[in-house]
Amino acid sequence: MKNRNKIATSLLSTVVVTSIALTGCGKSDEGQNAQSTAAASTAPTAAAATQKPLDPVELSIYYPGTAQKDVAAVEEEMNKQLKDKINATVKINAVDWGNWAQKINLMSASGEPFDLLFTAGWDNFSGNVAKGAFLDLTPLIDKYAKETKAQMNPLLLSGTAVNGKNYAIPVEKEMAQEFGVVLNKDLVDKYKFDITKIKTLADLEPMLQTIKEKEPGVTPMWGGKNNISLIPFEQIGNGAVPGAIKNNDGSTKVVDQWETQEMKDQLKLLKDWNAKGFFQKDPATQKDAGPSNKAGTTFAQWQQLTPGKDAVLSQQWGHPMVQVVLTQPYTSSGDLNGAMTAISRTSKNPDRAMMLINLLHTDAKLLNTLVMGVEGKHYAKVNDTTIKVPDGMKAGQTGYVPGNNYMFGNQFLNYLWDNEDPKKWDQYKQFNASAKPSAIVGFSYDAEPVKNEEAAIVNIYNAYIDGLSTGVIDYEKELPVFIDKMKKAGLDKVIAEKQKQVDEFLKTKK
């Protein structure tokens, strides 16, 4: 860990956050696309590199999201492109968010063979590594993903490694975070809401009350566990296991954020809003916002934001949205591992799976087929980097709008919709440069020493989080019980281990 941390620290001290704009994405969007496309077109095929024909294989891809009607057409198009490159076919599997964690856990525990899957620091990455669910990709990267490694900012790979080993390949995208809400713009305009006055989540209440009274078919605010993310803490490791540092005062003390006043204030607000009927019906169990988003029947929803996120969601959901930022840009350790691709330990073809990951980072056409669909069917080209909805179709209703753009490959190769700013990727770089760096950026948590305690805490967390975060259960009564159960499961030991690792990391920075 020490050597990895020295590398990350050296990089950060040299470039601060300005050069966190990715090495493979550090040029203009046009230059980056041209560079990566050229690299993909001139790179030798996997068959040529190995000097022998490759047997045909099928690779599965899993990600959280809504199943798409035209997924078979997308698979067919990807298969055409992959035939001569790595002689593989793909099977794309979307698992709705509410069942995602359980589905992947069951598949892994049962030994069911599968290949590529989305993962993230907030999605139990450290826990999955500790229990051996993911393969160590370090040797596969050097053998089958040399192009990806060469173009990627080294901080991404070093900052997402666990004890010097890479168990997932980070997506090349923004490396900072800010949180806020997106609002249905038609309703904002209809009621002439002044969104410039929204500085905190609580400032939304008068607008939510108006929607509640005057729009009976609309959910004023989508209730969900992500709403608690607006408190000023940087999570360390699995988001279901308490242990965080304050992100607004430079502190490096690891605390249980559920015991803080900030969390109690947030839970009080959410409880009040549930009592006032601002959330969807049965918010603790109705967790899939997808249908409501597509139908335009939700007014406000929490989002992790980036420049132009509202334009992306407008295209994805089929009606105009507008975003309101509630936090300052911040580069956390978790922003390095906020979206990654892992290979399951049960994969029968890990070599070929790594070849596919490499293509998703270097082959613009293949990546855009996965995240945008089939050209001429799901989008039409305006120019080399811009697309539009095909004539006669409406945004969000083309049959393939997976919303997985940030989950795979090199996002800087993604085509831009014609409603997006053509300088979007430059704005991403400016966004990265403006972000305040975490005191522990580059730190990667290893859950192995406390994996049993964390597994027990995750089960407790899952039993309480939806009810607490939507105000369905009374936080004043149940929060102490929740905390006590986690402590009995070993939370204090986990907090101490996180603090120990943070302190060791900080020693390497001095």
Side-chain angles (χ1 to χ4, degrees), residues 424-441:
K424 174 180 175 177
W425 300 133
D426 289 331
Q427 293 172 359
Y428 265 46
K429 297 164 204 167
Q430 294 168 11
F431 173 63
N432 288 342
S434 70
K436 173 185 176 182
S438 163
I440 59 170
V441 69

Side-chain angles (χ1 to χ4, degrees), residues 116-148:
L116 275 61
L117 72 155
F118 171 81
T119 186
W122 48 265
D123 189 40
N124 199 28
F125 171 66
S126 59
N128 279 315
V129 169
K131 66 184 181 184
F134 300 157
L135 286 179
D136 173 11
L137 305 183
T138 312
L140 295 177
I141 295 170
D142 289 329
K143 191 170 184 180
Y144 300 112
K146 293 179 180 178
E147 297 87 359
T148 295

Side-chain angles (χ1 to χ4, degrees), residues 68-127:
Q68 300 296 298
K69 179 171 69 72
D70 287 353
V71 66
V74 173
E75 291 170 345
E76 182 180 2
E77 176 59 29
M78 289 186 69
N79 293 344
K80 291 177 183 177
Q81 298 176 41
L82 290 170
K83 173 67 176 176
D84 293 333
K85 296 178 185 295
I86 61 172
N87 199 18
T89 57
V90 296
K91 188 69 176 177
I92 303 170
N93 302 273
V95 180
D96 70 84
W97 281 98
N99 295 324
W100 169 251
Q102 181 181 22
K103 172 73 172 177
I104 295 302
N105 287 340
L106 288 175
M107 290 173 63
S108 180
S110 67
E112 180 178 343
F114 65 111
D115 303 297
L116 275 61
L117 72 155
F118 171 81
T119 186
W122 48 265
D123 189 40
N124 199 28
F125 171 66
S126 59

Side-chain angles (χ1 to χ4, degrees), residues 310-359:
D310 48 0
V312 174
L313 295 178
S314 298
Q315 190 71 39
Q316 181 181 330
W317 296 345
H319 54 89
M321 305 297 295
V322 62
Q323 67 188 47
V324 178
V325 179
L326 299 178
T327 65
Q328 294 297 314
Y330 180 81
T331 297
S332 72
S333 182
D335 288 310
L336 304 181
N337 63 21
M340 301 183 287
T341 308
I343 298 177
S344 169
R345 66 171 175 79
T346 63
S347 173
K348 293 183 177 181
N349 300 286
D351 292 1
R352 211 76 62 87
M354 180 55 73
M355 295 177 195
L356 177 55
I357 292 175
N358 186 55
L359 288 173

Side-chain angles (χ1 to χ4, degrees), residues 174-185:
E174 85 284 348
M175 294 173 66
Q177 62 176 258
E178 60 185 8
F179 298 106
V181 291
V182 291
L183 309 175
N184 185 311
K185 189 174 185 300

Side-chain angles (χ1 to χ4, degrees), residues 219-237:
T219 296
M221 175 80 184
W222 189 266
K225 61 185 179 183
N226 285 329
N227 290 331
I228 64 172
S229 300
L230 291 169
I231 64 173
F233 287 87
E234 175 184 343
Q235 175 68 32
I236 296 173

